[in-house]
Amino acid sequence: MSLESLTDQVRTAAEDNMKLGYVVKFVLEDGSIIRWDGTAFRPTVDNEDGEVDTEIKLTAENLQKMINGQLSPSMAYMTGKLKVTGKVGVAMKIADLMED
């Protein structure tokens, strides 16, 4: 799985959930970034670094599993496969969107 593929999948999730209201950054184990800016009506997803409300650290493999519904974001958090910095409530909102 490439960063481009994961970014496209997060973009699809963002487009399905138009107004998140926050900026979230996924930081992968190799330092790659996927940033979801859900503050506007049309969300943007890119690989740029910047100010965010919440940062979620995990492996590319675990992000792929979450997107595919093979890993519950809540379970990933409880087992340490996912670490959150910033607003945990935003991470929970992302978890709900990915589990839909």
Side-chain angles (χ1 to χ4, degrees), residues 8-99:
D8 286 343
Q9 291 176 53
V10 171
R11 187 173 291 117
T12 298
E15 289 170 355
D16 289 345
N17 300 285
M18 286 301 208
K19 186 103 167 57
L20 175 64
Y22 299 95
V23 181
V24 177
K25 174 172 59 175
F26 295 94
V27 180
L28 307 180
E29 74 275 11
D30 67 356
S32 298
I33 292 169
I34 301 173
R35 190 170 146 275
W36 175 347
D37 183 346
T39 59
F41 177 71
R42 301 274 321 157
T44 59
V45 175
D46 56 41
N47 301 110
E48 303 298 320
D49 201 357
E51 291 290 317
V52 298
D53 298 295
T54 301
E55 180 177 290
I56 300 172
K57 291 183 180 180
L58 70 170
T59 65
E61 179 182 1
N62 284 334
L63 178 56
Q64 182 70 59
K65 286 180 181 178
M66 283 177 23
I67 291 168
N68 292 340
Q70 298 168 321
L71 176 64
S72 160
S74 300
M75 185 59 68
Y77 179 76
M78 291 188 305
T79 59
K81 294 179 181 181
L82 176 152
K83 296 190 182 349
V84 177
T85 305
K87 298 180 180 181
V88 177
V90 175
M92 298 308 290
K93 193 171 185 179
I94 290 282
D96 288 343
L97 295 176
M98 288 192 157
E99 289 179 333

